[in-house]
Amino acid sequence: EDGSAAIQVEKVLTGREWKAGDSFTFTITPVDGAPAPASNTVTISDETVNHSAIFDAITFDKVGTYQYTIQEVIPENVSNGITYDSNLITATVTVTDPGDGKLAAAVSYSNDKNAAIFTNNYQPEEVVVGGDGEDAVTGLEVQKTFVGRDWTDEDTFTFTLTAVTKDAPMPTSNTVTIGKPETGNANNAFFGEMTYSEVGEYVYTLTENKGSLGGVSYADDVVTVTVTVTDPGDGKLAAQVSYDNG
């Protein structure tokens, strides 16, 4: 009587938890004319028990050693933060005749495990705050309002950004200078870009440097700025900037 073998594939996802809609497809290819399963693909999703699946059973009618290659189908132009597994795993089916009227089939894998295991890692893209790129988040902003007299072309006010959170990303320069506005009595400036690669809350303080303009009182306020970096799970980190003075 013919024997049959079940070849198993397993998916491991690191870097984040599985979420609804996660789906990974694998193909099996017979080597040198080995018998083929009814379907050469299997899919593992977030709903698959133990994230493990078995290809359609393969039937064997003679003693021998048969090999199959298994690989993950890697999507084109993928941008979900997942690095797919490009390994090729070989499954070897050894068919023997134990003499009881039915052939026996044993499966082994080139990765020395009990299944063809493929590992994918999730690592979202970093997010830039204050950059010029299409996906950049609006940067840290300082506004200066000057009252009591009109601005002159020589009037400038400088502000300093200081990291409170250890190892918080910083712009190339931690100071910005604001000069005379085109109209009105207020002007603003942005600090340079800051790149974040980890989820978390990053706290900074903003202070005005004391200058030497005659008759001008400089602000003693210390404004706390918080950059909150989150991972929406779509392959790119997100950031939001908030100020404790609104």
Side-chain angles (χ1 to χ4, degrees), residues 141-191:
E141 182 179 10
V142 180
Q143 184 179 81
K144 180 63 180 179
T145 301
F146 187 30
V147 296
R149 69 165 171 79
D150 291 336
W151 287 71
T152 70
D153 291 338
E154 289 74 34
D155 289 336
T156 59
F157 299 90
T158 300
F159 301 84
T160 297
L161 179 71
T162 303
V164 176
T165 302
K166 183 180 178 181
D167 298 327
M170 290 289 290
T172 301
S173 173
N174 73 327
T175 63
V176 294
T177 298
I178 296 175
K180 179 182 177 182
E182 293 184 6
T183 60
N185 65 350
N187 202 4
N188 68 318
F190 288 91
F191 285 92

Side-chain angles (χ1 to χ4, degrees), residues 35-56:
S39 172
N40 72 330
T41 64
V42 70
T43 297
I44 294 174
S45 74
D46 59 295
E47 297 181 347
T48 304
V49 177
N50 296 326
H51 304 130
S52 178
I54 297 174
F55 287 97
D56 288 343

Side-chain angles (χ1 to χ4, degrees), residues 18-237:
W18 286 72
K19 64 177 186 176
D22 282 338
S23 179
F24 305 93
T25 299
F26 306 86
T27 62
I28 185 169
T29 304
V31 177
D32 294 334
S39 172
N40 72 330
T41 64
V42 70
T43 297
I44 294 174
S45 74
D46 59 295
E47 297 181 347
T48 304
V49 177
N50 296 326
H51 304 130
S52 178
I54 297 174
F55 287 97
D56 288 343
I58 304 171
T59 300
F60 300 89
D61 60 7
K62 64 175 67 174
V63 169
T65 301
Y66 305 88
Q67 288 192 322
Y68 300 83
T69 56
I70 305 165
Q71 61 190 119
E72 180 170 16
V73 176
I74 300 177
E76 295 183 3
N77 304 318
V78 65
S79 59
N80 58 8
I82 293 177
T83 300
Y84 288 79
D85 194 331
S86 60
N87 287 321
L88 194 70
I89 295 178
T90 299
T92 300
V93 180
T94 303
V95 180
T96 57
D97 182 1
D100 60 1
K102 180 172 181 167
L103 296 179
V107 183
S108 62
Y109 302 88
S110 60
N111 60 341
D112 294 326
K113 304 292 183 181
N114 293 325
I117 301 175
F118 294 86
T119 301
N120 290 3
N121 182 60
Y122 174 77
Q123 178 61 55
E125 293 180 31
E126 56 195 18
V127 60
V128 177
V129 172
D132 297 326
E134 181 179 338
D135 296 329
V137 176
T138 301
L140 277 63
E141 182 179 10
V142 180
Q143 184 179 81
K144 180 63 180 179
T145 301
F146 187 30
V147 296
R149 69 165 171 79
D150 291 336
W151 287 71
T152 70
D153 291 338
E154 289 74 34
D155 289 336
T156 59
F157 299 90
T158 300
F159 301 84
T160 297
L161 179 71
T162 303
V164 176
T165 302
K166 183 180 178 181
D167 298 327
M170 290 289 290
T172 301
S173 173
N174 73 327
T175 63
V176 294
T177 298
I178 296 175
K180 179 182 177 182
E182 293 184 6
T183 60
N185 65 350
N187 202 4
N188 68 318
F190 288 91
F191 285 92
E193 67 179 48
M194 300 152 71
T195 302
Y196 299 83
S197 58
E198 298 289 341
V199 168
E201 280 196 348
Y202 301 86
V203 180
Y204 305 83
T205 57
L206 277 171
T207 54
E208 182 174 18
N209 296 3
K210 302 302 181 184
S212 57
L213 292 175
V216 174
S217 60
Y218 292 84
D220 292 323
D221 306 68
V222 177
V223 177
T224 299
V225 185
T226 302
V227 179
T228 304
V229 180
T230 57
D231 180 6
D234 60 1
K236 184 174 178 61
L237 295 177

